[in-house]
Amino acid sequence: MAVILDRNTRVIVHGITGHQGTQHTRAMKEYGTNVVAGVTPGKGGQTVEGVPVFNSVSEAMRRLPPESRPNTSIIFVPAPYAKDSCYEAIENGIKVVVVITEHIPVHDAMELMAYADYKQVIVVGPNTPGVISPGERAKVGIMPASVFRPGRVGVVSRSGTLTYEVVSAISQAGYGQSTCIGLGGDRVVGTSFIEAIDMFARDPETDSIVMVGEIGGSAEELAAEHIARSGLKKPVFAYIAGRTAPPGRRMGHAGAIVMRGRGTAESKIRALSQAGVRVATTPSELPELMMRAGL
């Protein structure tokens, strides 16, 4: 079992005829993901990597048989048009939207998250590497599949590259993953640490949770408060990037900015430690902490 994705996930790729859309459609199919359709306005009738292309999501829904209709979208559309693509997916009944596009305008992202919440749709991203459930052979994203292996560790991260590094370290130590979720690096994102932790807490196939955070914002501190308040029984491990980052300077991700002492690595590590989370100083230390915990 997994969270967000499983063997019943059927994917429609928005922007499938672009370079990124085509390349990652091929990679997702090779991994085992059931990609059932693509959508690019004006290019309906083509096929890309054996996947039929439609002019709109509604056209795909009308023309595909019920058992082949998509329930999950992945967005490769340029930032100025990404909000409209997400709205189109939601309006046509899609329940999970993974937004790979980065730097979506802040007000577009805020409107999208409010609408998705109203419609009870899961949005992962923007600026996310996606979601992968190794045991289900389901990947909706751009992550390199070779570092992931089936197992019982749930991983949630703000950074794509750090996700790969952390997962590689725990995989080499023999720990597989139930699901890995990349929350995304933009200032406004959909699924939060708290929501991901709650999903893993409910998943009977997840025994422990790894959080990968970074400087900026208060998401990790809020997650720490939630962990302490909820009485979560599953052990949580964490790594926070940016210990040596200078205050006031943006460090890569739009959300990774420290202002006046808030959102520092130290404040996040302190909050997580006080909540009982075991915090590693480097990604490679995480497997050691997990072994010490008896996992």
Side-chain angles (χ1 to χ4, degrees), residues 83-227:
K83 185 184 80 170
D84 287 345
S85 289
C86 295
Y87 271 59
E88 183 187 11
I90 294 170
E91 285 297 306
N92 282 280
I94 300 291
K95 289 301 182 184
V96 175
V97 181
V98 177
V99 188
I100 304 298
T101 308
E102 63 179 352
H103 299 159
I104 291 179
V106 171
H107 283 90
D108 281 5
M110 292 173 67
E111 291 174 9
L112 168 61
M113 300 319 162
Y115 188 61
D117 185 59
Y118 171 69
K119 289 288 191 177
Q120 297 185 312
V121 170
I122 295 173
V123 175
V124 180
N127 196 4
T128 173
V131 184
I132 184 169
S133 296
E136 300 289 314
R137 301 301 295 176
K139 179 180 86 160
V140 180
I142 62 173
M143 57 278 283
S146 59
V147 302
F148 298 88
R149 55 182 290 176
R152 302 179 67 86
V153 180
V155 179
V156 55
S157 171
R158 286 176 65 183
S159 166
T161 309
L162 280 172
T163 303
Y164 314 150
E165 187 172 352
V166 164
V167 167
S168 179
I170 65 176
S171 289
Q172 289 180 26
Y175 297 102
Q177 303 85 44
S178 54
T179 298
C180 300
I181 306 169
L183 299 180
D186 273 11
R187 291 183 65 185
V188 178
V189 297
T191 300
S192 67
F193 274 119
I194 291 174
E195 289 166 321
I197 288 168
D198 284 348
M199 290 180 201
F200 287 132
R202 293 190 296 268
D203 179 21
E205 301 299 325
T206 297
D207 291 339
S208 60
I209 301 166
V210 170
M211 289 176 55
V212 184
E214 63 183 13
I215 59 170
S218 58
E220 291 83 353
E221 287 95 332
L222 293 173
E225 293 172 7
H226 180 73
I227 290 168

Side-chain angles (χ1 to χ4, degrees), residues 5-28:
L5 308 180
D6 59 26
R7 295 178 190 276
N8 297 315
T9 296
R10 300 182 298 278
V11 179
I12 184 168
V13 181
H14 297 238
I16 191 171
T17 55
H19 174 72
Q20 293 294 320
T22 299
Q23 176 183 338
H24 291 292
T25 294
R26 183 188 316 123
M28 288 189 289

Side-chain angles (χ1 to χ4, degrees), residues 257-276:
I257 185 168
V258 175
M259 294 295 291
R260 297 177 182 173
R262 296 188 61 189
T264 64
E266 289 75 15
S267 67
K268 294 172 188 291
I269 292 168
R270 182 169 56 250
L272 289 165
S273 298
Q274 289 173 349

Side-chain angles (χ1 to χ4, degrees), residues 228-272:
R229 188 171 55 245
S230 67
L232 179 66
K233 302 298 184 187
K234 298 181 180 181
V236 183
F237 306 86
Y239 170 71
I240 303 296
R243 288 170 181 258
T244 59
R249 182 179 300 176
R250 199 170 75 188
M251 305 295 289
H253 285 155
I257 185 168
V258 175
M259 294 295 291
R260 297 177 182 173
R262 296 188 61 189
T264 64
E266 289 75 15
S267 67
K268 294 172 188 291
I269 292 168
R270 182 169 56 250
L272 289 165

